[in-house]
Amino acid sequence: MQEADMTIIGGGLVGASIAWGLARSGMKPLVLDGSDLDLRASRANFALVWVQGKGLHAPHYALWSDRSAKMWPIMAEALSQDSGIDVGLVQQGAFTFALSDEELESFRVDMECIAAETAGRAPAFEVLTREETRDRVPHLGPDVVGSVYSAADGHVNALRLFHALHIAMDRKGASYRPNHKVNAIQPVANGFILQGDGFSILSRKIVLAAGLDNERLAPMVGLACPLKRSKGQVLVTEKCKPFLPCLSPTIRQTDEGGIMIGDSEETDTSNIATSSDISAVLASRAIRIFPALADLNVVRSWSGFRVKTADGVPIYDQSAYHPGAFLVACHSGVTLAANHSLIVTPQIAASKLGEDLSPFSARRFHAQQIA
């Protein structure tokens, strides 16, 4: 039987961020990944490094997101040195546009609540009127009634980020094996036996970073990962000259020219296919915000299931019954990549998660059930 000191189950953005971080510390992690046809959240992300509006009623999550966004320039530079790839990080702030007074008021209430719950430590924001928004963002449609602006937000090229992480972790000594779905995990005295089709590996430590599959794998090592179904859909236009003067959570122009339009959510389906009705709503709303988008062709659309926990807040956990088993689950794999690579991995390498991660334990769900 093959042996490994550290095995990461999952090679998406979260698993690769952790593998690269561990490899930078001198470890030689093994990464086991599934197949191309698996439900991969990394393919369906919007590539935002996003803080605005996160952490409502979860101030630790708001501050955790802000911390990662601030560390992103450090990570991008280190990743460029290790991989030779520029991931296209831009952090110049972003607007959330409102198409009704009720929508703008809802945004304002949520942002002020987050500011109060974090005692003012969350990033500053501005609630802008229609006129103030138009002064900063030209070419807006007449339906935009105002916006929320935060200077903390940004975005990257997610495809290059994924490529860079895999190149970097390989150069630093990690081993990557696709088509190695783990069917079973058996805790033993000196670690964990990982079994799949045609392989069996004894690993002294493991990290569950398998996205949606964490829900199945976690109970095998005494952990829990309650997830909720959350399907998102994205439209991509043909490439065009840079014309969007700003970033928003629903509309962004990539550094290669295409416009990405998203922010849908379906919670009552297991069908991975895209919906033309949802595409129509996404396109209509985007054109109301930026009418010039009506002149572009949509060349691609795709959908995917987010890795979204039951309360939307990430889970970082270590098994109390099997201490060498760790769990990382979140739907903000891009935003939190810097935290995962630079903060979480040293704690995993030291075999103990710090107190700063204790609020993210899945034990919070047990407490809610008891209450």
Side-chain angles (χ1 to χ4, degrees):
M1 180 184 300
Q2 182 185 346
E3 297 187 9
D5 288 328
M6 172 69 78
T7 300
I8 299 162
I9 302 174
L13 284 172
V14 173
S17 297
I18 292 170
W20 173 57
L22 290 171
R24 290 182 77 232
S25 70
M27 300 186 73
K28 306 295 183 186
L30 171 65
V31 180
L32 302 180
D33 206 359
S35 67
D36 287 346
L37 297 181
D38 288 347
L39 296 175
R40 291 175 174 272
S42 293
R43 290 176 176 168
N45 76 79
F46 209 63
L48 298 174
V49 179
W50 196 259
V51 178
Q52 186 181 145
K54 282 187 176 177
L56 181 65
H57 308 316
H60 56 294
Y61 180 34
L63 298 176
W64 181 245
S65 297
D66 182 43
R67 185 177 181 182
S68 194
K70 289 175 177 174
M71 294 184 68
W72 243 101
I74 299 172
M75 173 186 164
E77 176 61 28
L79 193 54
S80 177
Q81 291 177 3
D82 287 354
S83 68
I85 296 173
D86 179 357
V87 299
L89 173 67
V90 176
Q91 290 178 294
Q92 297 179 345
F95 296 81
T96 299
F97 300 109
L99 294 175
S100 69
D101 292 332
E102 293 77 13
E103 200 171 50
L104 183 60
E105 176 63 9
S106 175
F107 293 159
R108 183 190 64 78
V109 170
D110 286 352
M111 295 298 292
E112 289 181 352
C113 184
I114 293 170
E117 291 176 339
T118 58
R121 291 184 294 160
F125 66 94
E126 299 174 77
V127 180
L128 305 176
T129 65
R130 183 197 306 266
E131 291 72 24
E132 290 170 335
T133 304
R134 289 180 185 284
D135 286 344
R136 300 190 190 187
V137 185
H139 312 308
L140 283 176
D143 291 346
V144 176
V145 302
S147 65
V148 173
Y149 173 77
S150 170
D153 300 308
H155 61 159
V156 297
N157 185 309
L159 295 178
R160 286 212 298 272
L161 170 61
F162 186 80
H163 188 205
L165 286 168
H166 275 254
I167 292 292
M169 73 184 194
D170 176 72
R171 289 181 178 176
K172 287 295 182 180
S175 299
Y176 174 71
R177 295 183 189 175
N179 302 310
H180 276 62
K181 179 180 179 180
V182 174
N183 296 328
I185 306 172
Q186 179 186 356
V188 293
N190 54 345
F192 305 87
I193 297 177
L194 309 176
Q195 295 178 319
D197 293 339
F199 70 89
S200 183
I201 298 170
L202 171 62
S203 183
R204 276 167 278 283
K205 295 180 185 176
I206 61 172
V207 180
L208 306 184
L212 297 165
D213 212 20
N214 273 347
E215 194 166 30
R216 176 182 68 89
L217 296 171
M220 298 180 188
V221 292
L223 290 167
C225 186
L227 302 177
K228 62 180 180 182
R229 194 165 292 277
S230 176
K231 178 183 171 184
Q233 190 164 318
V234 176
L235 307 179
V236 183
T237 74
E238 60 187 320
K239 295 179 181 177
C240 58
K241 294 180 179 178
F243 84 99
L244 280 184
C246 64
L247 172 68
S248 84
T250 59
I251 307 169
R252 61 180 287 262
Q253 185 166 24
T254 72
D255 58 348
E256 295 168 335
I259 308 294
M260 294 182 67
I261 302 167
D263 200 31
S264 68
E265 182 173 44
E266 294 176 86
T267 58
D268 58 351
T269 180
S270 59
N271 185 356
I272 191 61
T274 59
S275 161
S276 57
D277 290 342
I278 291 176
S279 294
V281 172
L282 292 175
S284 174
R285 186 176 173 89
I287 291 171
R288 289 175 66 193
I289 296 173
F290 288 108
L293 293 175
D295 295 329
L296 295 176
N297 291 307
V298 172
V299 296
R300 285 187 292 144
S301 69
W302 71 77
S303 62
F305 287 97
R306 301 176 179 91
V307 182
K308 203 162 188 177
T309 64
D311 60 2
V313 177
I315 297 175
Y316 304 103
D317 231 338
Q318 179 176 7
S319 176
Y321 301 101
H322 310 288
F326 298 86
L327 169 68
V328 178
C330 72
H331 78 280
S332 298
V334 174
T335 300
L336 297 178
N339 279 354
H340 294 163
S341 295
L342 305 178
I343 297 176
V344 176
T345 51
Q347 298 182 24
I348 292 175
S351 300
K352 184 174 176 57
L353 298 184
E355 284 301 312
D356 56 332
L357 296 183
S358 61
F360 295 102
S361 169
R363 290 189 295 274
R364 65 184 185 266
F365 299 111
H366 307 327
Q368 291 170 5
Q369 290 174 352
I370 293 172

